[in-house]
Amino acid sequence: MPLIAKLGEWCSVGKSVYIMTRFVSSRMPNPFLLIIFIILLPCSTGLVAEPLIFTSINDASISVAQCGAILKRVYGSLGYKTRIDLYPGKRALAIANRGKSDGELCRIAAIENYDNLVRIDTPLLNLKLGAFAHKNRAHGLKLSRLKKYHIGVLRGVIYTEKLTRKMKRSIRNDVGTLFRLLKGNRVDIVLVMEGDGKKYIHENKLEDSIKVLQPSLAEFPIYHYLHKKHIELVPKINAALRELYDNGEHNQILADILKQEPSKR
C-alpha cells in the first residue's frame, strides 16, 4: 500500500504516524476503512509530537514561573505541550534566535539584534523594576542619583544592563547572589523585579534588614517570542493569550503561582 504509506510520511508527525498507519493497515484489510482512519488521525504536531521548547533566563523567579504557566495553558489550548530550558540570559536569547529552541519564554519589547524572533503582541505580564537596599541606609539613597551608587544587576536582563551601562555595577547570574552582595555591603542597591526581590526577602526572612525603595524605577510589559520557523503560530498564540485575559484565567494563573511553595514553581 505505497500511497497510504506515503501519506503517513507526509503527515506532520512523520515517522510516528507512518508506523501507526503500517500497524493499523496490517489489521484492517478493508482499504476504505483504512483511508477513513488516516483522514481522522490527528496529524497536529501539538497532539503527538515532541513539546515546543522555549528558553529563558536561569533564575527561579516568580515572573518566569508565571510566564511558563500562562504559556502552558495557551499552547495546551491549541494541542501543544511546552518545555522550558533555562540558561544565562544572553545565551538563552542566542539559542532561541538561532532556532535551536522554538522561541524565548518572555522578554521586554526592546530586544535588539535578534531578528529571527517574532514577538507575540499581547503581553504576558506587566512588571515593576524595584531597587532594594539596607533599611538602615535606605533613607539616604536617592533613585534620581543612581549613578552615585554601586549597583547589583542580573546578567542577561537587558533593561537593567542598559540602565546601568556607565555605572559602577556588579553583574551576577541569580537574585540570591545579588542579595548576598547587598547583605555583605558589596553593593549599595540591587535592581531586580519587585516581585522577585520581595519573594527572596520573604523566603529568607530579611524583612527587618532589606526594603524596596519607592517609587518603582519602571513598569513595563514583557512578551513571548517565537522563532520565525513558527510564524504561522503567531496569530493563533496571540488570540489564545487574549482569550485568557478576556475570560479571567490570566489573573487566576498569576494568583495560583503566588500561592505555590517555591519548590513547586
Side-chain angles (χ1 to χ4, degrees), residues 2-265:
L3 175 60
I4 293 173
K6 199 65 178 175
L7 284 172
E9 293 177 314
W10 286 344
C11 181
S12 63
V13 291
K15 186 181 292 184
S16 298
V17 173
Y18 174 67
I19 293 171
M20 185 179 294
T21 303
R22 290 290 302 275
F23 175 80
V24 174
S25 66
S26 67
R27 288 159 176 76
M28 192 181 291
N30 187 324
F32 178 72
L33 293 177
L34 183 55
I35 290 171
I36 292 176
F37 165 78
I38 293 174
I39 292 173
L40 295 178
L41 183 67
C43 289
S44 165
T45 57
L47 291 174
V48 291
E50 291 296 313
L52 293 173
I53 299 171
F54 301 115
T55 53
S56 185
I57 190 168
N58 61 343
D59 187 49
S61 67
I62 291 177
S63 56
V64 168
Q66 289 175 326
C67 289
I70 291 168
L71 289 182
K72 181 179 180 180
R73 185 74 58 86
V74 166
Y75 281 93
S77 71
L78 299 173
Y80 293 87
K81 293 183 178 180
T82 59
R83 191 182 88 203
I84 311 302
D85 286 354
L86 303 178
Y87 298 94
K90 289 183 178 178
R91 186 180 173 196
L93 276 173
I95 289 171
N97 192 58
R98 291 199 303 268
K100 299 297 184 181
S101 70
D102 297 294
E104 173 73 13
L105 180 68
C106 53
R107 290 281 172 161
I108 64 172
I111 60 173
E112 300 169 349
N113 303 318
Y114 299 97
D115 296 337
N116 294 324
L117 297 179
V118 182
R119 191 180 81 194
I120 305 299
D121 286 337
T122 300
L124 291 174
L125 297 171
N126 283 295
L127 296 181
K128 291 182 178 181
L129 178 64
F132 294 82
H134 278 289
K135 276 191 172 180
N136 58 4
R137 298 184 60 199
H139 67 280
L141 298 177
K142 302 292 184 182
L143 294 180
S144 59
R145 302 169 70 184
L146 206 57
K147 293 180 180 180
K148 292 184 58 179
Y149 308 118
H150 187 170
I151 310 298
V153 298
L154 276 175
R155 178 172 283 110
V157 177
I158 294 173
Y159 185 88
T160 52
E161 286 196 0
K162 285 183 176 180
L163 179 67
T164 60
R165 184 166 290 159
K166 295 183 179 181
M167 302 180 190
K168 184 179 180 182
R169 65 183 184 181
S170 293
I171 302 176
R172 297 294 186 269
N173 287 331
D174 61 87
V175 170
T177 301
L178 288 176
F179 276 97
R180 285 191 288 275
L181 292 179
L182 183 61
K183 287 190 292 182
N185 294 313
R186 294 169 62 189
V187 296
D188 301 308
I189 294 175
V190 163
L191 299 183
V192 294
M193 299 308 152
E194 276 194 10
D196 298 330
K198 289 178 179 178
K199 175 177 79 87
Y200 183 88
I201 290 170
H202 174 71
E203 291 173 356
N204 292 275
K205 299 179 173 56
L206 298 173
E207 289 88 349
D208 293 334
S209 58
I210 295 176
K211 67 173 292 184
V212 60
L213 306 178
Q214 296 298 332
S216 302
L217 276 179
E219 183 172 356
F220 44 83
I222 58 172
Y223 299 88
H224 177 46
Y225 288 81
L226 273 171
H227 189 271
K228 65 182 182 181
K229 63 187 175 183
H230 296 301
I231 190 71
E232 76 285 351
L233 283 178
V234 170
K236 297 177 182 179
I237 298 302
N238 192 61
L241 181 54
R242 189 69 258 165
E243 185 176 349
L244 283 191
Y245 278 96
D246 293 341
N247 64 22
E249 286 188 75
H250 184 272
N251 286 338
Q252 187 59 54
I253 292 170
L254 301 187
D256 289 344
I257 293 297
L258 288 175
K259 292 175 185 176
Q260 287 182 7
E261 293 295 323
S263 60
K264 296 181 181 179
R265 290 179 185 143

